[in-house]
Amino acid sequence: MEPALIGTRLASAAIGPLLKKLLAGEGPGAGLVRKDAEVRLSGLVSFRGEKRTLTEKDVRKLAATLVERSRQGAGEPPFPADETEAVTDALAANLLALGDLDMDDVQAVRLGHRDLARRLRAAAPAPDGLSTDSALYLETMTEWACLHILEFFTKRSTFIARSLVEQTRAQAELLARVDAVLTRVPAPESEDAAFERRYLAHLAKKHGRLTIYGVDLHHSPDEWPLDMAYLSLEATGGEGAHETSGRQRDQASVRADLALARHEKILLRGLAGSGKTTLVQWLTVSAATEDRPEGMAYLRGRVPFVLPLRALTRHGERLPSPDRFLSAAGCPLTPPGGWTDRVLAAGRGLVLVDGIDEIPEAERGRARDWLRDLLGAYEGNRWLVTSRPTAVRDDWLAPDGFAELTLAPMARAEVATFVRRWHQAAGPDAAVYEQPLLDSLRTAEHVAQLATNPLMCGLICALHRDRRGFLPRGRKALYEAALSMLLSRRDRERDMRAPTGLVLDEAPQVQLIQRLAYWLTRNGRTQMDRDRASSIVAEAVPAVPDASAYPPDRVFTHLLHRSGLLREPTADTVEFVHRTFQDYLAAKALVDHWDIGVLVHHAADDQWEDVIRMAVGHARPRECAEILRELLSAADATEDRRVRLRLTLLAATALDHATELSPDLREEVLRRTGEVIPPRTPEEARQLAEVGPLVLELLGSPEDLSDAEARTSVITATRVTTDAALPYLARFARHPSLEVRSQLIWAWSRFDTERYAEEVVSQLVPDELFYTVTDDKQAGALAALGLQPERLDIRYNVTERGVGLLHPLLPHVRYLDLCQIGAPVLTHLADLGLPGVMDVRVRVASDGPPFETLARAFPRLETLHIFGDELLPSYDRSELECFRELHSVNVYRTRSSWALPGR
């Protein structure tokens, strides 16, 4: 039922007496209105002033009665039943706003009922999260109430201005006519609501399917329903937040698609292929459909605006204002005038700005100014901005209230889930390859290291099936195999027989497509106009013999539609299906053109890391040597220590991509790298970590490092606070050095609690190791591992609840460090009673150690270590008689030690 049909259930005879209660009774006298004695609305309502007869609670009851009566009768309810309370509260707020308007009764009548209703809605708090039907019902009911209120004003004896007599008669006549119409004829549905339904249906269809790379072989479809292909992603607190804020940051992981329920504004970072754009699709479809996944109810009533920056900036024009959001993003629908503004002004928008990293660096400041202007104009909406990790600095949007989260690499369980879904989507003939691939991911390190995001997992699944259970080694070999699969084998194995009217082998297609990658990378873009792409291919076709026999426009059409590497996000734009393919082919083109100056010029740019390393892989021996020498020369020429480190390490990581290299040059690169890796001191380790995840590829293996080198290497890796560091750190979990393992447990709070517990803490050798727990979440994660630690260090923010979570572990504890906990937690431990603890470290104040509490908590205590001030040694040893088995007490700070003879 449309909201306008409430008139069939509430006629004037029913609503009039209810609304009249809002107005105060008339006093004696003529009450003539003069300019110096205006009748203000606040004096006419019954819930303001000293003589009020209604309270705000009464007004809400009145609103509830109106709402309830409008829902009675046959037919469809005017709005969802679960929103009744929210609608009632909003209607009551609108009615109460009548006493806050700065106008008199004459001015109110002149406004008319629609404008008066508009003023009331503006003066009342804006409702949040109402559905379209509920919003339309609230608008109609408020207007109808204002119609009756104005009718009451015109009937007051004080309302004497002759010019208003005719208006009174017309208003009464209008009311009667409206009642008659509403009882017989439904009002036309709102233009906004009608468009919104069309728009949401368009978004659900456009974004409701996803390409899973590789499943388009043989007889499988190219795309799959998003709800079948989507894998829930995890996000953690942003890198760098701890050092910036000066306080311990919250590294708890959260499902990325639920993060907007917790934060109104989010800057989400993620590596190439990590699933940022897929998440945008998932949020869009979840908001656009009524059948939402579990936990996504917070998107109800939200209207998504998908804004891919690569599409919005391709012409160098200004970023769009709200009225151009849809057209700029390629939506073919035309909204009613001002519709976007109304949605955002009501706080119902879900604004998804995808790909800060996909526009040139020089334009990112302009994009931030554009975003800030939108934020200042429209409050109450939800905002998500995505970017590669290092495209913008830490806290880039923090002043604007954005929380910074990072998409985590896929954990082993998530990779396994993806593999199973992929093989299910690929059809029954793929099932035979599922388990062998899962086995390879567990046993083959080079495969597991590549399978860290949905893109690479999809390629690995496709190639494993395509090669009947065999995989190429290394990332470059993986891309080469993927190109071969997409460019030449796909159509042949599907018996497509030249659907575009021409046949091109793999090599000529690569020659032509890499020209597009070259132009995009040189210009700092990921998207280009279709006409420009066509002209680039047309210029290159005559030089490619296998392609020159065909018209250039047909060649371009073939590459666009059949290569599997290109796509059209809109009718007039072209881009690569993923940035990694662009980087790979751009590197090949740069080597073919021998633009070594361009490579070196961008060497300090993190966006060019993969391009440069792949260029080394593509280069012939002499060219490879020149690239590496130029990188080392550029490192020598800069005075920026961080850039110098970065260039040196970039050269080192590129060594593995070189097919042939002189021993002297390899030794020189390794010598330079050896000067900083492994780090010699903790300070060097911290400086090295500033380079970022790049350093993880160069840090040494546990078996190749001394104990001191292993410790500093672990310090570096634990400060590269991304989950990419976890596989490296896990390799040190069984290290014989206690200092190395202690460093691993101390770094727990820098990472996602559960993921670190699963991949690192669970693997630690417990010998002499104190398991450090700094908060309740770590306490729960440690207990969930089922370990039986003999040594436990409880500190910082562990509360009584955290101690309760640790309770299953406490019977196994023999050594307990309590130096960092407060008295309430210590008392709670005492109440639990820990008979197995023999050695305790505790910090106490100068007013004396809580010996009785400790004796109650640890009845079999043998050794007590007290950390405190200089007054502690003056205590009489007789106070320790409450301990039955205590052998010694060590007091630190004064370096005293008491031995208790006879025990």
Side-chain angles (χ1 to χ4, degrees):
M1 173 181 175
E2 293 297 326
L5 289 177
I6 58 174
T8 62
R9 301 175 178 182
L10 265 181
S12 295
I15 190 174
L18 292 173
L19 291 173
K20 193 170 183 179
K21 294 179 181 181
L22 295 173
L23 304 179
E26 294 184 76
L32 297 177
V33 177
R34 303 186 306 275
K35 289 186 177 179
D36 59 343
E38 294 178 331
V39 182
R40 313 305 295 178
L41 294 188
S42 58
L44 295 177
V45 298
S46 61
F47 48 87
R48 292 284 190 275
E50 296 179 357
K51 298 181 179 180
R52 66 175 180 263
T53 59
L54 291 183
T55 65
E56 292 187 5
K57 185 177 180 180
D58 294 326
V59 175
R60 192 188 184 284
K61 289 181 179 178
L62 188 151
T65 301
L66 292 175
V67 171
E68 178 60 25
R69 291 187 181 181
S70 71
R71 291 179 56 84
Q72 294 173 355
E76 181 184 358
F79 57 88
D82 60 352
E83 294 190 28
T84 300
E85 184 174 355
V87 170
T88 299
D89 291 340
L91 180 59
N94 287 351
L95 296 177
L96 287 168
L98 188 67
D100 298 326
L101 297 186
D102 186 19
M103 65 178 70
D104 58 30
D105 56 346
V106 175
Q107 293 169 327
V109 173
R110 286 176 181 170
L111 273 179
H113 68 286
R114 288 191 176 87
D115 284 343
L116 179 60
R118 214 170 279 124
R119 293 281 186 94
L120 292 181
R121 291 195 299 271
D128 184 29
L130 291 182
S131 65
T132 301
D133 286 343
S134 295
L136 288 174
Y137 170 88
L138 180 62
E139 179 180 348
T140 303
M141 179 60 89
T142 305
E143 289 183 5
W144 201 14
C146 288
L147 193 63
H148 282 272
I149 289 169
L150 293 183
E151 169 70 5
F152 297 148
F153 284 167
T154 62
K155 291 182 178 180
R156 296 174 65 90
S157 63
T158 57
F159 197 84
I160 64 171
R162 184 60 185 168
S163 60
L164 299 178
V165 173
E166 293 300 323
Q167 181 180 347
T168 301
R169 294 172 179 168
Q171 195 79 26
E173 182 180 356
L174 176 62
L175 177 61
R177 290 179 178 178
V178 169
D179 271 351
V181 170
L182 288 177
T183 58
R184 294 192 302 270
V185 182
E189 71 174 1
S190 163
E191 186 180 9
D192 280 6
F195 173 77
E196 196 165 302
R197 282 192 287 272
R198 288 181 61 212
Y199 175 65
L200 293 179
H202 165 74
L203 291 179
K205 183 177 181 180
K206 177 180 179 179
H207 297 282
R209 300 189 70 81
L210 183 70
T211 297
I212 306 181
Y213 295 97
V215 298
D216 54 348
L217 294 175
H218 306 296
H219 302 290
S220 300
D222 291 334
E223 294 180 324
W224 292 87
L226 182 64
D227 57 358
M228 177 180 181
Y230 182 74
L231 181 70
S232 293
L233 306 170
E234 294 290 317
T236 63
E239 185 175 334
H242 178 59
E243 288 74 10
T244 301
S245 66
R247 63 180 182 270
Q248 184 176 351
R249 63 186 162 128
D250 179 13
Q251 272 286 356
S253 65
V254 62
R255 258 179 55 187
D257 54 355
L258 301 184
L260 279 172
R262 179 184 301 181
H263 305 286
E264 186 175 287
K265 293 171 278 190
I266 293 175
L267 172 60
L268 182 70
R269 303 174 189 264
L271 296 170
S274 60
K276 301 185 295 296
T277 300
T278 304
L279 174 63
V280 168
Q281 286 184 245
W282 183 249
L283 292 172
T284 301
V285 173
S286 298
T289 57
E290 290 298 327
D291 187 17
R292 297 181 183 87
E294 182 181 357
M296 305 289 282
Y298 76 93
L299 293 176
R300 183 175 187 175
R302 295 281 173 188
V303 179
F305 296 98
V306 183
L307 303 174
L309 285 182
R310 59 186 174 275
L312 305 185
T313 62
R314 64 180 183 274
H315 295 301
E317 59 192 26
R318 291 176 59 85
L319 289 162
S321 55
D323 63 315
R324 294 181 52 245
F325 275 4
L326 271 59
S327 60
C331 177
L333 304 181
T334 302
W339 171 77
T340 307
D341 174 74
R342 290 191 290 276
V343 170
L344 293 176
R348 296 197 300 120
L350 174 65
V351 187
L352 306 168
V353 182
D354 189 25
I356 286 289
D357 58 288
E358 295 183 348
I359 60 175
E361 186 174 358
E363 296 182 14
R364 293 172 192 169
R366 183 165 62 92
R368 180 170 56 179
D369 293 340
W370 164 75
L371 187 59
R372 284 176 170 170
D373 288 342
L374 292 174
L375 291 166
Y378 301 107
E379 297 182 355
N381 298 285
R382 292 289 188 268
W383 306 78
L384 176 72
V385 179
T386 71
S387 172
R388 283 196 184 186
T390 53
V392 293
R393 69 173 189 272
D394 288 343
D395 299 328
W396 192 64
L397 289 174
D400 305 292
F402 276 74
E404 293 199 5
L405 301 176
T406 300
L407 281 178
M410 294 167 66
R412 286 173 293 183
E414 292 168 332
V415 172
T417 299
F418 184 97
V419 170
R420 293 188 183 97
R421 289 188 184 180
W422 189 98
H423 286 83
Q424 178 185 358
D429 64 321
V432 66
Y433 300 110
E434 178 182 318
Q435 193 56 49
L437 180 56
L438 290 172
D439 293 339
S440 294
L441 288 167
R442 283 192 294 267
T443 59
E445 185 177 349
H446 75 283
V447 178
Q449 287 177 344
L450 290 173
T452 58
N453 62 56
L455 171 69
M456 298 307 296
C457 282
L459 286 177
I460 288 171
C461 289
L463 289 168
H464 185 263
R465 172 195 174 189
D466 189 48
R467 295 183 166 207
R468 302 186 181 279
F470 294 94
L471 285 172
R473 295 184 63 89
R475 184 163 51 174
K476 179 174 177 291
L478 181 66
Y479 291 149
E480 288 176 345
L483 287 176
S484 176
M485 177 183 68
L486 293 171
L487 291 174
S488 63
R489 300 186 60 178
R490 181 181 62 167
D491 281 353
R492 182 171 68 247
E493 296 186 5
R494 294 171 69 190
D495 296 324
M496 294 300 292
R497 300 184 183 275
T500 59
L502 55 86
V503 177
L504 287 177
D505 288 334
E506 177 183 341
Q509 291 187 79
V510 169
Q511 286 292 321
L512 295 171
I513 295 176
Q514 74 182 33
R515 303 290 184 95
L516 303 178
Y518 178 78
W519 187 93
L520 288 168
T521 301
R522 281 290 306 267
N523 289 277
R525 304 279 180 176
T526 60
Q527 190 176 96
M528 66 170 67
D529 291 342
R530 194 183 195 280
D531 290 342
R532 182 181 294 276
S534 180
S535 66
I536 290 173
V537 171
E539 291 174 2
V541 162
V544 180
D546 289 351
S548 60
Y550 303 105
D553 59 334
R554 288 179 59 192
V555 174
F556 175 71
T557 300
H558 175 84
L559 296 177
L560 187 59
H561 295 156
R562 302 310 313 160
S563 70
L565 294 176
L566 302 173
R567 65 183 174 192
E568 294 177 283
T570 66
D572 59 346
T573 58
V574 175
E575 65 184 8
F576 279 83
V577 294
H578 204 277
R579 176 72 174 269
T580 51
F581 291 121
Q582 176 184 320
D583 290 346
Y584 176 85
L585 291 172
K588 187 175 186 305
L590 284 161
V591 170
D592 289 348
H593 287 80
W594 199 230
D595 281 344
I596 188 172
V598 175
L599 285 171
V600 175
H601 176 72
H602 290 91
D605 185 347
D606 62 281
Q607 300 296 307
W608 281 67
E609 279 180 11
D610 281 346
V611 176
I612 292 172
R613 284 184 285 200
M614 291 179 185
V616 171
H618 286 300
R620 291 172 294 187
R622 187 171 62 181
E623 296 166 340
C624 175
E626 186 171 349
I627 294 173
L628 293 174
R629 288 195 181 97
E630 289 293 333
L631 288 175
L632 296 179
S633 297
D636 292 337
T638 182
E639 296 182 359
D640 187 319
R641 181 189 59 81
R642 186 174 181 275
V643 173
R644 184 165 59 252
L645 265 177
R646 185 175 192 84
L647 293 176
T648 301
L649 298 183
L650 181 57
T653 58
L655 284 180
D656 288 340
H657 294 265
T659 56
E660 182 179 335
L661 195 64
S662 70
D664 291 344
L665 181 55
R666 181 179 294 275
E667 184 178 342
E668 172 65 12
V669 174
L670 294 176
R671 184 189 66 78
R672 298 277 198 103
T673 308
E675 293 176 357
V676 293
I677 295 179
R680 273 65 170 177
T681 66
E683 178 59 28
E684 286 186 10
R686 288 187 284 270
Q687 292 176 355
L688 194 60
E690 294 176 5
V691 175
L694 176 68
V695 73
L696 295 173
E697 299 180 33
L698 299 171
L699 292 173
S701 300
E703 58 273 12
D704 299 328
L705 301 172
S706 67
D707 288 356
E709 291 171 341
R711 177 171 175 264
T712 54
S713 296
V714 167
I715 290 174
T716 296
T718 56
R719 288 183 171 270
V720 181
T721 50
T722 67
D723 283 349
L726 296 186
Y728 178 77
L729 294 173
R731 295 163 64 188
F732 289 83
R734 309 193 69 79
H735 200 280
S737 169
L738 178 60
E739 287 189 335
V740 171
R741 287 180 282 119
S742 296
Q743 183 66 39
L744 290 173
I745 197 70
W746 293 335
W748 191 357
S749 59
R750 294 177 183 163
F751 297 86
D752 170 66
T753 302
E754 284 82 6
R755 195 181 299 271
Y756 196 89
E758 176 188 353
E759 298 194 25
V760 179
V761 177
S762 65
Q763 306 299 319
L764 286 169
V765 172
D767 297 351
E768 300 185 70
L769 176 67
F770 273 88
Y771 284 80
T772 303
V773 178
T774 63
D775 57 35
D776 290 356
K777 190 161 188 180
Q778 287 186 358
L782 186 63
L785 293 177
L787 302 179
Q788 299 180 1
E790 284 194 346
R791 289 171 168 79
L792 190 61
D793 180 0
I794 306 176
R795 56 174 61 188
Y796 300 132
N797 297 318
V798 177
T799 66
E800 291 91 329
R801 175 180 175 274
V803 171
L805 294 172
L806 289 170
H807 190 258
L809 309 182
L810 297 178
H812 307 285
V813 176
R814 299 293 178 266
Y815 304 86
L816 193 57
D817 191 333
L818 304 175
C819 289
Q820 303 285 346
I821 69 169
V825 176
L826 185 59
T827 302
H828 187 62
L829 280 169
D831 294 338
L832 292 176
L834 301 172
V837 175
M838 300 181 297
D839 188 300
V840 169
R841 303 176 185 182
V842 64
R843 181 177 297 277
V844 296
S846 58
D847 56 354
F851 291 140
E852 292 183 0
T853 300
L854 292 173
R856 189 169 77 254
F858 315 114
R860 296 181 57 190
L861 189 66
E862 297 179 357
T863 303
L864 176 63
H865 307 271
I866 300 176
F867 295 78
D869 58 33
E870 296 177 358
L871 298 178
L872 288 175
S874 65
Y875 281 88
D876 195 316
R877 299 182 188 180
S878 63
E879 297 185 27
L880 300 174
E881 294 298 327
C882 54
F883 294 100
R884 292 176 299 173
E885 300 184 22
L886 191 65
H887 288 284
S888 64
V889 177
N890 300 294
V891 181
Y892 299 91
R893 192 111 181 235
T894 61
R895 300 298 180 185
S896 300
S897 179
W898 297 344
L900 303 182
R903 293 199 178 179

